[in-house]
């Protein structure tokens, strides 16, 4: 029967001398607390602290990294637990195990192996023949108190976990967590995308809901801004440290006040054009930066993705099913209006993410290497992989250094994968730093200090509330 195992030197450099240095560096970061400042775990999972239902519901169905690869092989998403006609949990697990080979060479293989071995203590490799045995073993684990969400949170060594939340959210789960003493450990993040993209079919209803939630009229543009400010304050009161913005473009060109009023009114009347909607979205990124200068929320920008590439998949299964596809992105000119106004403002911290590697050396590293407000976010999504992480360090460090980056973010909905993702990032950083030591470019003590800073100190500092 095929066995699962974790090589203790996995993802470290293959050269023996450099690997030995990397072991020394990694040993100093391996057990550090996890600072998880961007992700998509539902706060209610931890507020309710109910046992996970079954192995497929925990490890397979919510993880679009997993479902998309199997679906690409022709397997219906229903067979992976997605959609109205979703298969039962055991059938989903059998489908996953029968397709285990599809994950060879992918970061998902690394994360899943880490989860199965380290989190659940199993050593049998998934396959069609072992599916039922594994399912029963994992189901038994999930029934134990030690595998409830809060117990795993503690075992994973998570110091703080930021969720991603709509301004329309009542933040009830966060209130319940705060009542249990977890308010500083699980915190919300303000994600206003649904309210700034005027062409979304639900936008008019969402703006009406914003007015109700904020108790501020949104029947004109000034009221709309006031309502957003009110919700930002509610998030801050609930512990939020950051905002997050998912736009197709990084454009931040501000509109005149008259044009902003006009376009907003047109949107409320259902007459906004695509060009006006795009211009308003860019304008609102500028406005969000201005608000961050006022209230101190860190601003995270995740541009360059065409969401819901398949209209049919979106209609049948909803968003976040693996059909968001990267597009080429431009930052230098797009961010110039924002950075001209706020790039040297002491209260702004703007963290930039991309899935377009062509801009790392040409645009992002030079921007972060001169503007005090700018930090580079970790390799995200398709770049959150061993080689993607290595290429990021090689591409940006010579221009931006290590200390103009913002630490690792796991960006996951799959709760059990969080420690695996952080572990991989720490191993890759240890290898990169070991290479600098082997090349005579860093002392070993500097490499260790930098590794600790990348894993722990920097994200805590970058996302901290302003003290002034």
């Amino acid at each position: 029967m095929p066995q699962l195992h974790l090589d203790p030197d996995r993802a470290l450099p293959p050269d023996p001398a450099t690997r030995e240095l990397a072991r020394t560096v990694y040993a100093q970061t391996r057990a550090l607390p996890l600072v998880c400042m961007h992700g998509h775990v539902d706060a209610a999972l931890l507020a309710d602290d109910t046992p996970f239902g079954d192995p497929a519901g925990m490890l397979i169905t919510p993880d679009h990294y997993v479902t998309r690869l199997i679906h690409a092989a022709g397997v219906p998403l229903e067979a992976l637990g997605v959609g109205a006609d979703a298969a039962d949990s055991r059938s989903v697990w059998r489908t996953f195990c029968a397709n285990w080979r599809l994950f060879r060479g992918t970061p998902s293989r690394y994360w899943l192996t880490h989860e199965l071995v380290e989190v659940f203590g199993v050593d049998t490799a998934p396959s069609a023949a072992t599916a039922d045995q594994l399912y029963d073993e994992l189901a038994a684990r999930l029934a134990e108190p030690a595998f409830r969400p809060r117990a795993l949170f503690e075992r994973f060594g998570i110091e703080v976990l930021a969720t991603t939340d709509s301004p329309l959210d009542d933040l009830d789960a966060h209130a319940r967590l705060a009542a249990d003493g977890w308010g500083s450990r699980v915190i919300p993040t303000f994600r206003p995308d649904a309210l700034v993209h005027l062409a979304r079919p639900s936008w008019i209803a969402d703006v009406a809901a914003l007015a109700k939630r904020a108790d501020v009229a949104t029947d004109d543009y000034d009221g709309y801004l006031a309502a957003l400010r009110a919700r930002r304050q509610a998030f801050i009161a609930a512990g939020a440290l950051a905002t997050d913005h998912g736009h197709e473009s990084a454009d931040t060109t501000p509109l005149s006040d008259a044009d902003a009023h006009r376009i907003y009114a047109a949107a409320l009347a259902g007459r906004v054009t695509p060009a006006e909607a795009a211009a308003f979205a860019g304008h609102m990124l500028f406005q969000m930066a201005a608000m961050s200068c006022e209230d101190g929320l860190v601003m995270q920008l995740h541009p360059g993705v065409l969401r819901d590439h398949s209209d049919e998949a979106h209609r049948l299964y909803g968003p976040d099913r693996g059909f968001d596809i990267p597009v080429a992105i431009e930052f230098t000119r797009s961010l110039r209006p924002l950075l001209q106004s706020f790039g040297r403002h002491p209260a702004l911290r703007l963290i930039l993410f991309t899935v377009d590697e062509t801009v790392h050396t040409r645009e992002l590293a030079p921007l972060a290497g001169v503007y005090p407000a700018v930090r580079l976010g970790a390799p995200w999504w398709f770049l959150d992989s061993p080689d993607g992480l290595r290429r990021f360090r090689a591409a940006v460090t010579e221009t931006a250094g290590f200390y103009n980056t913002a630490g690792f973010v796991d960006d996951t909905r799959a709760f059990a994968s969080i420690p695996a993702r952080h572990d991989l990032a720490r191993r890759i950083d240890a290898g990169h730093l070991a290479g600098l030591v082997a090349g005579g470019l860093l002392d070993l003590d500097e490499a260790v200090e930098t590794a600790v800073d990348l894993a722990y100190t920097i994200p805590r500092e970058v996302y901290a509330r302003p003290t002034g």
Side-chain angles (χ1 to χ4, degrees):
M1 186 174 293
Q3 299 295 297
L4 277 183
H5 73 282
L6 290 173
D7 187 324
D9 290 328
R10 59 194 180 279
L12 298 183
D15 171 68
T18 309
R19 174 172 284 193
E20 189 60 37
L21 291 167
R23 288 172 179 155
T24 300
V25 176
Y26 171 68
Q28 301 305 309
T29 64
R30 182 183 61 82
L32 287 175
L34 305 187
V35 180
C36 308
M37 297 310 303
H38 178 76
H40 299 278
V41 173
D42 187 350
L45 175 77
L46 291 154
D48 297 338
D49 197 34
T50 55
F52 291 97
D54 58 76
M58 183 185 191
L59 298 174
I60 309 305
T61 302
D63 192 342
H64 61 68
Y65 290 90
V66 174
T67 58
R68 69 188 308 275
L69 269 180
I70 300 177
H71 181 59
V75 176
L77 285 172
E78 288 81 0
L80 299 167
V82 179
D85 298 320
D88 66 272
S89 176
R90 188 176 288 273
S91 296
V92 171
W93 185 259
R94 288 170 177 165
T95 299
F96 161 71
C97 289
N99 288 281
W100 177 243
R101 70 188 186 283
L102 299 178
F103 297 99
R104 293 171 184 167
T106 70
S108 292
R109 168 65 178 262
Y110 180 97
W111 303 328
L112 288 163
T113 302
H114 185 115
E115 291 172 71
L116 292 170
V117 175
E118 288 289 316
V119 177
F120 293 102
V122 303
D123 58 7
T124 301
S127 69
T130 64
D132 284 338
Q133 172 194 333
L134 274 174
Y135 185 93
D136 292 338
E137 191 171 352
L138 292 170
R141 295 277 197 285
L142 290 175
E144 299 172 13
F147 288 85
R148 290 173 68 153
R150 293 193 191 184
L152 287 176
F153 188 105
E154 300 283 13
R155 176 147 70 95
F156 293 165
I158 298 174
E159 183 170 292
V160 58
L161 183 145
T163 63
T164 301
D165 311 271
S166 165
L168 306 181
D169 195 301
D170 63 6
L171 301 180
D172 171 70
H174 286 280
R176 289 188 286 126
L177 284 162
D180 289 345
W182 283 61
S184 62
R185 304 186 69 187
V186 184
I187 59 175
T189 298
F190 183 84
R191 176 97 176 217
D193 293 356
L195 296 163
V196 303
H197 296 294
L198 307 184
R200 292 193 177 190
S202 64
W203 182 80
I204 293 175
D206 287 339
V207 168
L210 172 66
K212 184 175 181 180
R213 181 66 66 199
D215 196 23
V216 176
T218 57
D219 50 359
D220 66 14
Y221 171 68
D222 291 334
Y224 165 77
L225 291 183
L228 288 171
R229 284 190 172 93
R231 291 308 294 156
R232 289 172 68 107
Q233 289 301 318
F235 271 64
I236 291 170
L241 297 175
T243 70
D244 188 47
H245 309 271
H247 287 227
E248 186 174 334
S249 166
D251 177 50
T252 60
T253 305
L255 297 167
S256 69
D257 195 54
D259 280 343
H261 277 83
R262 176 183 57 79
I263 293 173
Y264 184 83
L268 282 180
R271 297 194 302 266
V272 71
T273 68
E276 288 172 332
F280 191 85
H283 168 76
M284 286 308 298
L285 284 179
F286 186 94
Q287 292 298 318
M288 289 293 162
M291 292 182 194
S292 282
C293 291
E294 296 168 1
D295 62 28
L297 287 176
V298 174
M299 183 176 178
Q300 301 173 114
L301 178 58
H302 288 80
V305 177
L306 178 60
R307 305 282 174 176
D308 303 315
H309 193 273
S310 169
D311 290 339
E312 180 186 36
H314 182 254
R315 178 177 57 81
L316 291 173
Y317 311 114
D320 304 318
R321 293 303 180 188
F323 285 90
D324 296 348
I325 308 297
V327 295
I329 191 71
E330 191 276 337
F331 285 93
T332 301
R333 292 183 177 85
S334 294
L335 289 178
R336 194 178 188 201
L338 185 157
L339 294 176
Q340 291 269 44
S341 295
F342 311 117
R344 298 194 298 136
H345 194 293
L348 181 64
R349 286 155 296 166
L350 173 64
I351 303 177
L352 302 176
F353 295 83
T354 188
V355 279
D356 181 358
E357 289 186 287
T358 67
V359 300
H360 276 148
T361 301
R362 185 182 65 246
E363 300 185 48
L364 291 184
L367 288 169
V370 68
Y371 280 101
V374 177
R375 295 291 184 272
L376 300 185
W380 162 53
W381 205 348
F382 296 108
L383 304 183
D384 181 10
S385 63
D387 283 342
L389 291 161
R390 291 188 190 100
R391 291 193 299 268
F392 172 77
R393 290 290 175 215
V396 307
T397 302
E398 291 182 336
T399 302
F402 291 109
Y403 290 87
N404 287 315
T405 62
F408 180 70
V409 298
D410 47 77
D411 189 38
T412 184
R413 291 172 175 80
F415 182 66
S417 75
I418 290 174
R421 293 170 189 243
H422 284 263
D423 178 72
L424 177 60
R426 294 175 182 190
R427 288 172 179 273
I428 297 302
D429 282 343
H432 180 80
L433 289 160
L436 296 179
V437 175
L441 300 174
L442 276 186
D443 293 334
L444 182 58
D445 60 344
E446 292 179 300
V448 169
E449 179 183 34
T450 304
V452 171
D453 288 342
L454 291 171
Y456 182 77
T457 311
I458 289 175
R460 289 302 276 170
E461 292 177 347
V462 168
Y463 285 90
R465 287 290 298 163
T467 57

